[in-house]
Amino acid sequence: MLKSLKRQNHKLSSPEGQIEVLDDAESINIPSFEDKMADIGFSQFKPTGIEIFQVNVGKMCNQVCAHCHVDAGPDRKEIMTKETMQQCLDAIEGTDIKIVDLTGGAPEMNPHFRWFVEELRAIGKDVIVRCNLTIILANPKYNDLPEFFKKHKVNVVSSLPYFTAKRTDAQRGDGVFDKSIKALQMLNAVGYGKEGTDLKLDLVYNPAGAFLPGDQETLTAQFKRKLLEYDIEFNDLFAITNLPVSRFLEYLVKTEKYEDYMHELVNAFNPAAAAGVMCRNTLSVSWDGYLYDCDFNQMLELKVNAPSHISEFDLKALSNREIILNQHCYGCTAGAGSSCGGATT
Amino acid sequence: MKETYYNKEDLKKFGEITEWQKELGDKFFDYYNSVFKEGALTAREKSLIALAVSHAVQCPYCIDAYTTDLLKKGVDEEQMMEAVHVTAAIKGGAALVHGVQMMNQVNDKLM
């Protein structure tokens, strides 16, 4: 299995190393993202409100995906403590924030994961879990996850970059496709993704290389048709663009595709997508309780322009903060736009 | 840089052909963009046809452009290769069907 960039002591494992590459817009002859946004009237970019509270409960994962922006893997030990989870619960209880989106790593590997889900449901929050599918089969202790998700009506969102083993395994590791198919069948078996149930199973598609995702609707139709060959059903498919952060940035640099990819993102800049990016309605919390505009800013350690730890949660200040922009943001504004919920236009 | 007749970077300059003949260039690109819109054929089907034709006319720019376009559209390797086999079948068939002309000529010349 691959090692994380951090374990390799790779230059691009550090936020500073990544920002150094991203900030050098001049040598690849692209405009700064901030200037581009100012050109369309967003000289100050602010949230429209906070609707989604995304919590990264840790970087530990049973997979080492080639494109992972978290640089997650079995060798990552950063895990959110129960105390920080309690601070999250205290911060959002009684607020209008309705959705809590749990991500990682493999969030289920956090020993307090199930407790956290139960507590979130108890205070009336809708819960999304970004499940990598293979975790369900990784150890017998995870085999009942479909039942657990069902019991708490968790919205399961799972990555499946393609409907063939070749492309999926190239991105997510050998054997991942077959295990993912099995896990999807297990989720279907308890009612997930099935018509007539309120158990929502969504898939995430992201390109298995340095190109933008195509039309989300067309891809959904193809995935539905192809996965039916395995008797698999799902609800929606979210087409997500790979952002030049962490391992995907390292891939772009290593294969000398970085410049072309950035140009492709810039050329596909879509003002309508820019207006609807996820940082306008999302707040991202890191494993150690710091607050960010999105999961990508979190990986680059660009903390919010407001009191920036969950222990000093200030909803009013956060709702009026100025969002921090950088060159990687071109990934969310290209084409039909990209967010954790797929296309934004 | 090694000089070649085809340069990958030139594809990005395709739009520049309008600089020397704007009216015709604009008409061409308007037409081109209309052709590839969703219609009686899907945009995906049109891109697969374009890939096959790109191989028939052996245009490296078109092959790169439509391969990338098809990747974006979620088309898999097997489907793309089948499209190229359609090209090969038609090009090969077009050569072979002229064998009938050869046969006709032989039959005409020989006693």
Side-chain angles (χ1 to χ4, degrees):
Chain A
M1 196 175 262
L2 287 172
K3 286 180 184 166
S4 66
L5 294 177
K6 189 175 183 190
R7 176 58 73 88
Q8 295 172 46
N9 287 319
H10 197 287
K11 184 189 169 192
L12 293 176
S13 69
S14 75
E16 298 77 22
Q18 295 175 63
I19 287 171
E20 188 184 325
V21 174
L22 291 165
D23 272 354
D24 185 14
E26 212 169 296
S27 72
I28 60 167
N29 198 26
I30 60 169
S32 90
F33 186 76
E34 276 191 3
D35 289 348
K36 196 85 177 170
M37 291 295 276
D39 286 348
I40 61 164
F42 288 120
S43 49
Q44 274 200 327
F45 200 51
K46 294 205 161 200
T48 50
I50 300 174
E51 296 163 38
I52 302 169
F53 191 76
Q54 189 173 63
V55 187
N56 192 314
V57 297
K59 299 188 180 190
M60 187 181 283
C61 192
N62 58 317
Q63 292 184 187
V64 189
C65 299
H67 71 298
C68 182
H69 71 281
V70 180
D71 192 26
D75 62 40
R76 299 302 301 265
K77 307 301 178 200
E78 301 93 326
I79 284 286
M80 183 176 275
T81 62
K82 199 171 179 180
E83 289 69 32
T84 306
M85 287 178 175
Q86 185 62 57
Q87 287 176 320
C88 290
L89 289 162
D90 294 342
I92 60 171
E93 185 173 5
T95 68
D96 289 339
I97 299 172
K98 185 75 185 136
I99 300 169
V100 178
D101 185 344
L102 301 179
T103 186
E108 303 88 343
M109 291 178 84
N110 184 307
H112 312 297
F113 169 77
R114 294 190 193 214
W115 171 82
F116 195 34
V117 170
E118 286 162 1
E119 293 296 313
L120 287 166
R121 295 295 291 145
I123 61 167
K125 304 300 176 188
D126 293 336
V127 176
I128 295 171
V129 62
R130 301 208 170 248
C131 172
N132 71 13
L133 295 174
T134 63
I135 190 67
I136 295 173
L137 298 159
N139 186 302
K141 69 180 176 182
Y142 299 124
N143 290 169
D144 67 335
L145 277 169
E147 289 291 349
F148 174 79
F149 294 149
K150 179 183 179 176
K151 185 179 172 193
H152 298 286
K153 292 197 165 40
V154 174
N155 176 183
V156 179
V157 179
S158 293
S159 283
L160 190 71
Y162 205 55
F163 43 73
T164 64
K166 189 179 169 191
R167 268 195 228 173
T168 300
D169 290 1
Q171 184 181 95
R172 299 178 74 78
D174 288 343
V176 166
F177 181 76
D178 289 344
K179 286 179 197 159
S180 299
I181 291 294
K182 175 80 182 137
L184 286 168
Q185 289 166 339
M186 289 166 74
L187 287 161
N188 276 173
V190 300
Y192 269 97
K194 293 280 187 185
E195 236 177 85
T197 74
D198 55 356
L199 300 171
K200 204 158 179 282
L201 172 62
D202 301 319
L203 296 182
V204 172
Y205 161 89
N206 66 291
F211 55 92
L212 298 181
D215 175 60
Q216 185 168 279
E217 211 176 308
T218 309
L219 288 165
T220 305
Q222 275 179 269
F223 269 72
K224 291 237 177 203
R225 199 177 62 244
K226 289 284 185 181
L227 290 181
L228 214 48
E229 293 172 14
Y230 300 93
D231 293 322
I232 289 169
E233 294 174 73
F234 64 92
N235 297 104
D236 296 319
L237 179 132
F238 306 143
I240 294 185
T241 302
N242 289 315
L243 261 69
V245 172
S246 190
R247 281 192 210 137
F248 191 68
L249 176 62
E250 189 265 343
Y251 158 77
L252 292 172
V253 171
K254 187 173 65 187
T255 56
E256 298 183 353
K257 292 185 171 85
Y258 173 67
E259 185 173 344
D260 280 351
Y261 190 70
M262 290 306 292
H263 277 269
E264 189 168 359
L265 295 181
V266 174
N267 291 338
F269 179 80
N270 178 356
V277 286
M278 65 178 173
C279 50
R280 300 197 85 184
N281 70 351
T282 303
L283 191 67
S284 165
V285 190
S286 62
W287 68 276
D288 51 358
Y290 284 97
L291 306 175
Y292 301 87
D293 299 305
C294 71
D295 207 39
F296 298 103
N297 277 11
Q298 182 185 137
M299 299 313 145
L300 295 170
E301 292 183 8
L302 301 168
K303 294 189 181 89
V304 287
N305 262 325
S308 65
H309 194 267
I310 191 69
S311 58
E312 46 189 3
F313 189 78
D314 181 342
L315 190 55
K316 195 175 170 194
L318 288 163
S319 301
N320 288 303
R321 75 193 192 273
E322 197 175 334
I323 294 166
I324 295 174
L325 306 175
N326 203 290
Q327 296 302 89
H328 64 288
C329 302
Y330 275 118
C332 287
T333 57
S338 181
S339 74
C340 289
T344 55
T345 57
Chain B
M1 191 169 62
K2 195 179 167 190
E3 198 176 338
T4 59
Y5 278 98
Y6 286 114
N7 181 354
K8 199 175 91 154
E9 295 301 307
D10 285 349
L11 177 58
K12 293 176 192 160
K13 300 177 191 165
F14 190 12
E16 293 175 17
I17 65 154
T18 55
E19 289 174 12
W20 289 9
Q21 222 308 345
K22 185 161 171 49
E23 187 191 347
L24 295 178
D26 285 346
K27 279 183 177 170
F28 170 78
F29 285 117
D30 281 350
Y31 167 76
Y32 190 101
N33 290 329
S34 297
V35 163
F36 282 96
K37 279 185 184 155
E38 204 87 9
L41 293 175
T42 64
R44 184 174 175 276
E45 287 165 340
K46 289 176 181 181
S47 287
L48 277 165
I49 295 169
L51 183 75
V53 175
S54 302
H55 283 79
V57 298
Q58 294 175 324
C59 168
Y61 302 118
C62 313
I63 292 170
D64 279 2
Y66 282 96
T67 301
T68 305
D69 186 56
L70 287 164
L71 282 171
K72 289 180 187 174
K73 290 186 162 78
V75 174
D76 68 30
E77 290 86 333
E78 194 181 2
Q79 292 166 328
M80 283 191 254
M81 190 55 84
E82 282 188 19
V84 176
H85 276 288
V86 172
T87 310
I90 294 296
K91 289 203 80 165
L96 282 171
V97 75
H98 286 80
V100 177
Q101 189 177 344
M102 175 271 287
M103 289 163 76
N104 289 343
Q105 183 73 347
V106 169
N107 290 337
D108 185 53
K109 294 289 178 195
L110 296 180
M111 282 192 291

